[in-house]
């Protein structure tokens, strides 16, 4: 089979629904909500662009389940049906070419910047590394009833997403946000029923999964994005990740997306010069871990991070390591990449490292993320992404927007 044929194969998920091809757009936080976190037409336009570009599954950027806890200004928050009409348009736009659209649901926990949140929460009150303390406050530990409330909120948001026409939801269990904080022995030092052993640390995600299933119909897809590991001393390990995947697979989860890292070690957004030679040869950062998962369970897998050529993508599918090729940054630059590969073009993504040379900024991949966010904003306005946009410009713009919108968000919250 050539890459086009390999990647054009449909994929059946455990609940019986079918994806038309092997391209999945991984979540990218669009920050295209309004200042009070409502849905906008820009999101509708953006997801239509990706659907027209041939992506078989689009996973939205993280949608927050609680307006008091957001990760960035202009995240969308989904707590009630006030935006139902626009949500319906958003869901419909992701399906115009027969693909599916899932909503990623998230609670940032401690990774909610000071600028937006005076009262960040986490399983335990563990401070950030020194360099990040200017940006993130030490969180307070959640009470038991608060934990239960968050579980119920995930279910409520999933129910609303289904009502709007989304084909599924993805629990954001990766990148150091709340679900991943509960899984990590470094961030979760509780001794009640939510921590203390790997099984108890896993309980939070399991309860969320079960509550979402109970609140949605049988044919609705539920997936998770999970770290292969945190790459942090005392953090979530590969072995723990494998057992979470085993448990969720036994529960019937439809898709597991594999990623890695958190704000303190952003392995998910590496530049091409920052990965081992053996990883470079296979492109994607987490394929070796995916093979370990394969050896244990048969759940459909999506591997995200580092795919850059049509050949590398096809080879990852043919080798059996993954079922879906997860793409984020390549689709922020070339939204029609899947369609071109499916038409037989051999493609190397135009994605390139975006660095300032300032260690703290580069370590957090701040400019990298802001540069791509800017391209999403352009597409939301119906414009083409700009492959040679200046890095520093987008960083300054995003920092400016973060500051003014952060202040406005807090003013609205009455602080
Ligand atoms: C601008 C931007 C925003 C992102 N937002 C999210 C997000 O909301 N949720 C998430 O799970 N991952 C997010 N990611 C990480 C990507 O989904 C992906 O894991 C990472 O970029 C590696 O894949 P790539 O090499 O194809 O870009 C984001 C990445 C970028 C560049």
């Amino acid at each position: 089979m050539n890459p086009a044929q390999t990647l054009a194969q449909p994929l059946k998920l455990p609940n019986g629904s079918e994806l038309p091809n092997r391209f999945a757009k991984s979540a990218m936080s669009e920050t295209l909500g309004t200042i009070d976190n409502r849905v906008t037409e820009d999101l509708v336009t953006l997801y239509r662009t990706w659907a027209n570009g041939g992506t078989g599954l689009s996973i939205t950027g993280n949608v927050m389940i609680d307006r008091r806890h957001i990760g960035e200004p202009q995240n969308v928050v989904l707590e009630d049906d006030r935006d139902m009409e626009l949500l319906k348009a958003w869901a419909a736009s992701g399906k115009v070419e027969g693909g599916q659209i899932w909503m990623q649901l998230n609670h940032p926990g401690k990774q909610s910047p000071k600028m937006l949140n005076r009262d960040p929460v986490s399983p335990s009150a563990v401070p950030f590394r020194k360099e990040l303390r200017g940006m993130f406050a030490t969180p307070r530990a959640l009470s038991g009833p608060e934990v239960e409330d968050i579980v119920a909120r995930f279910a409520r948001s999933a129910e609303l997403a289904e009502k709007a026409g989304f084909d599924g939801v993805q629990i954001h269990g990766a990148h150091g946000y709340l679900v991943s904080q509960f899984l990590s022995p470094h961030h979760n030092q509780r001794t009640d029923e939510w921590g203390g052993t790997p099984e108890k640390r896993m309980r939070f995600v399991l309860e969320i999964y079960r509550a979402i299933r109970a609140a949605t119909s049988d044919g609705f897809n539920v997936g998770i994005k999970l770290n292969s590991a945190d790459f942090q001393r005392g953090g979530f390990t590969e072995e723990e990740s494998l057992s979470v995947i085993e448990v969720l697979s036994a529960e019937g989860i439809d898709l597991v997306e594999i990623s890695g890292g958190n704000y303190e070690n952003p392995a998910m957004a590496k530049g091409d010069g920052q990965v081992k030679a053996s990883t470079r040869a296979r492109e994607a950062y987490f394929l070796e871990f995916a093979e370990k998962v394969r050896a244990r369970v048969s759940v459909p897998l999506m591997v995200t991070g580092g795919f850059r050529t049509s050949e590398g993508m096809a080879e990852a599918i043919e080798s059996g390591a993954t079922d879906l090729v997860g793409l984020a940054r390549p689709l922020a630059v070339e939204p029609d990449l899947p369609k071109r590969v499916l038409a037989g073009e051999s493609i190397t993504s135009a994605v390139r490292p975006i660095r300032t040379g300032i260690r703290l900024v580069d370590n957090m991949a701040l400019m990298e993320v802001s540069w791509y966010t800017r391209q999403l904003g352009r597409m939301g306005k119906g414009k083409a992404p700009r492959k040679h946009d200046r890095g520093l410009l987008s960083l300054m713009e995003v920092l400016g927007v973060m500051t003014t919108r952060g202040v406005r968000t807090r003013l609205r919250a009455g602080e």
Side-chain angles (χ1 to χ4, degrees), residues 26-29 62 104 172 175 225 268 304-306 308 328-329:
S26 190
M28 273 184 282
S29 191
N62 58 176
Q104 185 182 61
H172 196 348
H175 305 170
K225 184 166 184 172
M268 62 287 194
T304 301
R308 299 295 178 259
R329 288 167 290 179

Side-chain angles (χ1 to χ4, degrees), residues 26-30 60-63 72 104 106 170 172 174-175 177 225 257-259 267-270 285-286 304-308 326-330 351 368-373 376:
S26 190
M28 273 184 282
S29 191
E30 310 87 7
T60 70
N62 58 176
V63 167
E72 298 136 302
Q104 185 182 61
N106 194 22
Q170 181 187 57
H172 196 348
H175 305 170
Y177 296 105
K225 184 166 184 172
E257 178 182 356
I258 295 167
S259 186
M268 62 287 194
K270 288 175 190 167
Y285 319 141
F286 305 113
T304 301
F307 282 115
R308 299 295 178 259
L327 300 174
R329 288 167 290 179
V351 159
E368 182 90 13
V369 168
S370 47
W371 190 92
Y372 287 99
T373 306
L376 304 187

Side-chain angles (χ1 to χ4, degrees), residues 5-6 35 82 93-94 153 160 206 213 223 230 252 261 284 301 415:
Q5 289 167 326
T6 301
I35 189 68
R82 72 179 80 170
S93 72
R153 282 173 176 276
L160 289 162
L206 198 55
R213 278 289 189 220
D230 290 346
L301 289 181
E415 284 183 29

